[in-house]
Amino acid sequence: MFGRCVAVLSLLGVLLSLTGCNTVAGLGEDITGSARTVQRAL
């Protein structure tokens, strides 16, 4: 049950982030920005 809730919440998060990008190029920029942030943190 817990795993299903986590999966549903993860899916909702992905869908919300995709709607915020509006385009495939925007999604690529968001992923690049996220990767840079993680890289700086490490």
Side-chain angles (χ1 to χ4, degrees):
M1 182 70 180
F2 178 73
R4 183 173 281 187
C5 289
V6 171
V8 168
L9 290 175
S10 297
L11 181 62
L12 287 174
V14 168
L15 290 174
L16 287 173
S17 67
L18 285 176
T19 58
C21 294
N22 291 330
T23 63
V24 174
L27 176 63
E29 290 174 8
D30 289 346
I31 292 172
T32 302
S34 299
R36 286 183 183 145
T37 301
V38 170
Q39 190 176 24
R40 279 186 247 139
L42 297 176

